[in-house]
């Protein structure tokens, strides 16, 4: 280990926060690869009497380093809180599961009794869930109160493994007279979809002690929402329910409204961007009139709710004396509807509780009945998409090691966007309208580098130099997508570049990432992107190295290739 690395680690150790039994290395950016790199950390852990919380988030830990840390944890029976989010940045696919297994086995050996386990933002996929399966089933987790697995790319398979492990944990702990009392469950951005959500719902129904459930952006449609609704009825202490950015439609919204009638302790409901529609909103309004006595926040934004239903919701909160915020932004009220909503809230002396309406979509062009009549067709289409995706699931799980098991994209929120990305054409892109950039951002998960590369190539494939409207739409969409990704701290930029190189035929891959037929638009848009401020300079050096090599895959686009090479060389020399 280099002397400067030792010095950096020593400084980090000196900065480690020690608060009431907590040892923290949070956010120190340590790159811990082997036993030598963690010598000082291990010493700190071993010498820390009464260690109850260990924070390792914001560092990157390899297999050998994890095994060495695990050895030190084998004697830490007092450990209760493992804050281990975002600790595998840049690690390859085979590294993460064995590292998790080592740490989990250590906790079991120590006889620890955990209260908090946070492994969010590790993008470890279904194999990562297998890596913690033994731990979750063990006595170490019989006392678990908070399980945080946000943005881990679990997928349907991982969701099922997790559900089975929690079920086993509850059954075993119950047989010993002290059933699992899980209170907080967080698993947003995991592409659990209907099957994963349904499996977890069955576990939740058995557990019955949940107080907070956060499962936003999981591609869950009405069958999964209905299963979760049933499960929530068996968790009477539920306070917070966050299912933001899934797809209820009226069937799911009505099922959830019925379930909420049986819950008296709910304080926060977030069904924003869930397409609850007017009929679903009216069902929720009925529930508000009948129950939810201590509700503080209700988010029904971006749900295609029209004026009459929105006013129904507003009137239903009149007696909620603890209400702090009602969010109905981004619906279809129209200017007069927004004014009417404000008047209703003001008449109840609750004007200050109403959130902004600045993103209202305006009155719908078609009446609500026609929209609702389309539900069955949409539901059938959603189910067909799920079946196709499930068949492809095995192949998706075998993606490149460079992909880091990143989270797959959320469920298709707008059919036109899904259609464009499946079969791109200039006309489809233009028909997405002025909101195309934000719609595409919603469709493509920023942390799935493989899907990001695929989306980039599909958008750029319709680029036309001689069509100003199409050219502007393509570049605008690419800039929005890439700038947001590169400004996301957990985005694996180099892995994205590697996936892009594989798909362009410039880099060999042993996994199932396939090269595409390269067209000039791919290279022209890449040339545009590398010149933007959001594109990291060190990534340009990598691209330049590969473009400098002879490769037949780009010969069909020799003019665009030469322009891209020239731009990369110029940018590299300037950096």
């Amino acid at each position: 280990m280099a002397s400067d690395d030792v010095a950096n680690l020593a400084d980090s150790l000196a900065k480690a926060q020690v608060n009431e039994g907590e040892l923290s290395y949070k956010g120190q950016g340590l790159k811990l690869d082997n036993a030598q790199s963690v010598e000082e950390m291990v010493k700190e852990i071993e010498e820390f009497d009464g260690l109850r919380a260990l924070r390792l988030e914001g560092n990157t830990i390899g297999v050998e380093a994890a095994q060495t840390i695990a050895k030190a944890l084998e004697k830490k029976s007092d450990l209760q809180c493992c804050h281990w989010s975002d600790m595998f940045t840049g690690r390859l696919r085979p590294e993460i599961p064995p590292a998790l297994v080592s740490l989990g086995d250590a906790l079991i050996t120590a006889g620890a009794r955990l209260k908090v386990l946070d492994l969010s933002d590790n993008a470890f996929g279904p194999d990562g869930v297998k890596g913690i399966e033994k731990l979750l089933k063990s006595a170490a987790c019989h006392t678990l109160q908070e399980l945080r697995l946000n943005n881990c790319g679990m997928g349907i398979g991982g969701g099922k493994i997790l559900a089975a492990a929690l079920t086993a944990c509850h059954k075993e702990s119950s047989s010993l007279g002290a059933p699992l009392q899980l209170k907080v469950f967080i698993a947003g951005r995991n592409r659990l979809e209907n099957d994963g959500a349904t499996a977890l719902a069955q576990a939740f129904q058995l557990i019955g002690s949940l107080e907070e459930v956060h499962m936003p952006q999981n591609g869950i449609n009405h069958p999964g929402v209905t299963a979760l609704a049933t499960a929530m009825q068996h968790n009477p202490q539920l306070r917070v329910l966050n299912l933001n950015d899934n797809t209820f439609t009226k069937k799911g919204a009505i099922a959830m409204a019925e379930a909420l009638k049986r819950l008296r302790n709910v304080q926060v409901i977030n069904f924003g961007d869930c397409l609850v529609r007017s009929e679903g909103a009216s069902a929720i309004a009925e529930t508000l009139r009948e129950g939810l006595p201590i509700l503080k926040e209700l988010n029904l934004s971006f749900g295609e709710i029209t004026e009459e239903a929105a006013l129904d919701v507003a009137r239903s909160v009149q007696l909620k004396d603890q209400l702090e915020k009602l969010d109905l932004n981004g619906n279809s009220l129209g200017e007069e509807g927004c004014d009417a909503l404000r008047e209703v809230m003001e008449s109840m002396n609750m004007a200050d509780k109403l959130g902004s309406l600045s993103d209202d979509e305006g009155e719908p062009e078609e009446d609500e009945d026609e929209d609702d009549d389309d539900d069955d067709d949409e539901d059938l289409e959603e189910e067909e998409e799920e079946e196709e995706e499930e068949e492809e699931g095995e192949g998706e799980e075998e993606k490149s090691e460079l992909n880091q098991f990143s989270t797959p994209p959320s469920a298709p929120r707008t059919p036109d966007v899904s259609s464009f990305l499946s079969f791109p054409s200039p006309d489809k892109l233009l028909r997405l309208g002025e909101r195309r950039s934000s719609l595409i951002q919603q469709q493509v998960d920023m942390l799935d580098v493989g899907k990001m590369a695929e989306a980039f190539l599909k958008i750029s494939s319709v680029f036309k130099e001689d069509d100003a409207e199409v050219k502007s739409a393509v570049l605008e969409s690419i800039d929005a997508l890439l700038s947001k990704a590169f400004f996301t701290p957990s985005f694996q930029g180099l892995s994205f570049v590697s996936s892009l190189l594989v798909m362009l035929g410039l880099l060999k891959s042993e996994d199932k990432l396939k090269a595409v037929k390269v067209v000039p638009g791919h290279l022209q848009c890449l040339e545009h992107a590398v010149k933007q401020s959001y594109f990291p300079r060190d990534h340009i050096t990598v691209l330049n190295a590969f473009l400098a090599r002879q490769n037949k895959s780009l010969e069909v686009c020799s003019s665009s290739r030469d322009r891209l090479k020239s731009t990369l060389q110029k940018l590299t020399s300037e950096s």
Side-chain angles (χ1 to χ4, degrees):
M1 186 176 183
S3 58
D4 55 343
D5 290 337
V6 174
N8 289 337
L9 180 56
D11 289 340
S12 297
L13 289 169
K15 297 174 184 176
Q17 300 298 312
V18 181
N19 295 317
E20 298 182 358
E22 176 183 291
L23 183 58
S24 176
Y25 302 93
K26 179 179 178 180
Q28 295 181 11
L30 301 174
K31 191 173 187 296
L32 308 172
D33 296 322
N34 50 39
Q36 187 179 4
S37 67
V38 294
E39 283 181 354
E40 293 298 324
M41 181 184 289
V42 165
K43 183 179 179 182
E44 290 275 335
I45 293 172
E46 290 175 341
E47 294 178 352
F48 198 116
D49 292 331
L51 180 64
R52 291 195 295 274
L54 179 61
R55 309 195 75 105
L56 297 175
E57 63 263 56
N59 299 290
T60 177
I61 301 174
V63 177
E64 185 179 334
Q67 291 170 341
T68 308
I69 293 170
K71 195 69 177 175
L73 293 177
E74 288 181 355
K75 297 180 181 179
K76 298 299 173 180
S77 59
D78 293 330
L79 190 61
Q80 297 177 353
C81 302
C82 298
H83 300 283
W84 296 349
S85 63
D86 189 23
M87 66 174 191
F88 295 116
T89 301
R91 296 295 168 183
L92 298 179
R93 172 175 176 169
E95 293 185 82
I96 301 176
L100 290 171
V101 169
S102 297
L103 292 167
D105 285 350
L107 297 175
I108 295 171
T109 300
R113 294 294 182 265
L114 296 184
K115 290 184 178 180
V116 178
L117 178 60
D118 185 357
L119 289 167
S120 298
D121 299 317
N122 280 313
F124 48 48
D127 282 358
V129 184
K130 292 178 183 178
I132 60 172
E133 183 179 12
K134 180 180 177 182
L135 172 64
L136 290 173
K137 291 180 177 180
S138 74
C141 286
H142 287 183
T143 52
L144 194 63
Q145 295 180 10
E146 298 184 18
L147 179 59
R148 301 171 180 266
L149 297 170
N150 201 57
N151 189 34
C152 288
M154 291 189 287
I156 295 172
K160 289 182 176 180
I161 296 169
L162 176 61
L166 290 174
T167 299
C169 181
H170 185 269
K171 288 182 177 179
E172 177 64 22
S173 58
S174 296
S175 70
L176 297 174
L180 171 68
Q181 294 288 303
L182 187 66
K183 295 180 180 180
V184 177
F185 179 83
I186 300 177
R189 296 176 67 93
N190 271 293
R191 190 68 182 202
L192 295 169
E193 302 185 20
N194 288 334
D195 288 349
T198 299
L200 285 166
Q202 293 170 352
F204 296 162
Q205 184 168 331
L206 180 67
I207 293 169
S209 57
L210 289 167
E211 296 180 9
E212 293 187 28
V213 174
H214 302 262
M215 297 174 66
Q217 290 186 293
N218 269 297
I220 307 170
N221 301 320
H222 78 81
V225 172
T226 300
L228 288 169
T230 300
M232 293 306 105
Q233 297 179 47
H234 296 269
N235 288 266
Q237 299 307 312
L238 187 70
R239 294 183 296 103
V240 179
L241 182 58
N242 177 7
L243 295 176
N244 185 280
D245 201 5
N246 289 291
T247 307
F248 284 34
T249 63
K250 68 178 182 182
K251 291 183 179 179
I254 291 173
M256 190 60 74
E258 286 298 315
L260 289 170
K261 289 179 180 180
R262 295 165 174 80
L263 299 171
R264 307 291 295 176
N265 294 299
V266 176
Q267 298 178 16
V268 178
I269 297 173
N270 186 344
F271 296 160
D273 206 15
C274 282
L275 204 65
V276 299
R277 292 209 169 123
S278 295
E279 190 168 345
S282 294
I284 292 171
E286 180 183 344
T287 296
L288 287 165
R289 282 188 287 269
E290 296 180 12
L292 301 173
I294 60 172
L295 187 68
K296 293 183 177 180
E297 295 183 21
L298 174 62
N299 184 346
L300 294 178
S301 61
F302 297 94
E304 292 190 2
I305 300 169
T306 53
E307 177 183 349
E308 183 178 352
L311 295 177
D312 194 15
V313 171
R315 295 186 183 105
S316 71
V317 302
Q318 183 173 8
L319 300 179
K320 307 302 177 190
D321 56 5
Q322 296 188 38
L323 187 72
E324 297 174 0
K325 183 176 182 181
L326 173 63
D327 190 346
L328 287 167
N329 196 20
N331 284 297
S332 303
L333 309 184
E335 186 175 348
E336 292 183 0
C338 289
D339 290 340
L341 179 59
R342 294 187 185 97
E343 289 176 7
V344 167
M345 295 297 288
E346 187 172 352
S347 70
M348 300 186 299
N349 294 319
M350 301 178 76
D352 59 328
K353 313 300 182 186
L354 182 64
S356 170
L357 299 175
S358 60
D359 294 319
D360 186 76
E361 296 286 347
E363 294 183 60
E365 295 180 4
E366 300 178 1
D367 61 49
E368 185 70 12
D369 290 338
E370 290 176 347
D371 282 344
D372 287 346
D373 287 341
D374 288 339
D375 274 3
D376 290 340
D377 291 338
E378 288 182 3
D379 294 338
L380 176 61
E381 179 179 316
E382 290 165 355
E383 289 166 4
E384 290 173 347
E385 289 172 348
E386 289 164 8
E387 290 172 1
E388 292 171 359
E389 290 163 357
E390 188 171 354
E391 291 172 359
E392 296 169 358
E394 184 177 350
E396 289 293 311
E397 290 177 10
E398 293 299 321
K399 279 196 167 190
S400 169
E401 293 179 1
L402 293 170
N403 282 353
Q404 300 292 301
F405 282 101
S406 297
T407 305
S410 301
R413 296 307 316 273
T414 304
D416 286 343
V417 179
S418 177
S419 175
F420 167 71
L421 290 175
S422 297
F423 305 98
S425 72
D427 181 61
K428 286 182 180 178
L429 181 63
L430 295 178
R431 281 195 284 115
L432 292 178
E434 294 181 355
R435 294 186 63 233
R436 66 178 66 88
S437 296
S438 60
L439 291 173
I440 291 173
Q441 285 178 342
Q442 292 172 21
Q443 178 72 10
V444 183
D445 193 292
M446 298 295 154
L447 301 182
D448 187 331
V449 292
K451 291 294 185 184
M452 275 289 296
E454 182 181 358
F456 173 86
L457 293 176
K458 287 190 173 183
I459 297 168
S460 60
S461 69
V462 304
F463 181 86
K464 289 186 177 182
E465 184 69 52
D466 57 353
D467 188 325
E469 186 178 11
V470 173
K471 178 180 178 180
S472 175
V474 169
L475 297 182
E476 170 192 297
S477 300
I478 284 174
D479 285 341
L481 188 66
L482 293 186
S483 61
K484 184 174 180 180
F486 281 119
F487 288 133
T488 299
S490 50
F491 179 64
Q492 300 292 312
L494 286 175
S495 294
F496 163 74
V497 170
S498 298
S499 297
L500 199 59
L501 290 169
V502 169
M503 293 181 179
L504 290 173
L506 300 175
L507 177 64
K508 292 182 179 180
S509 176
E510 296 179 357
D511 50 62
K512 296 187 178 181
L513 273 180
K514 294 182 179 179
V516 301
K517 180 181 179 181
V518 181
V519 297
H522 292 150
L523 306 184
Q524 291 166 336
C525 290
L526 184 56
E527 181 190 3
H528 166 83
V530 299
K531 292 189 288 186
Q532 307 310 307
S533 59
Y534 59 72
F535 206 97
R537 300 297 95 179
D538 55 338
H539 295 12
I540 292 174
T541 304
V542 174
L543 286 171
N544 184 51
F546 280 90
L547 264 293
R549 302 176 181 177
Q550 293 293 326
N551 194 292
K552 294 182 180 180
S553 69
L554 304 185
E555 288 181 357
V556 293
C557 308
S558 57
S559 176
S560 299
R561 176 201 62 192
D562 293 341
R563 283 175 51 190
L564 174 59
K565 288 174 65 176
S566 176
T567 297
L568 289 171
Q569 290 169 0
K570 181 180 178 181
L571 292 171
T572 301
S573 64
E574 291 174 351
S575 61

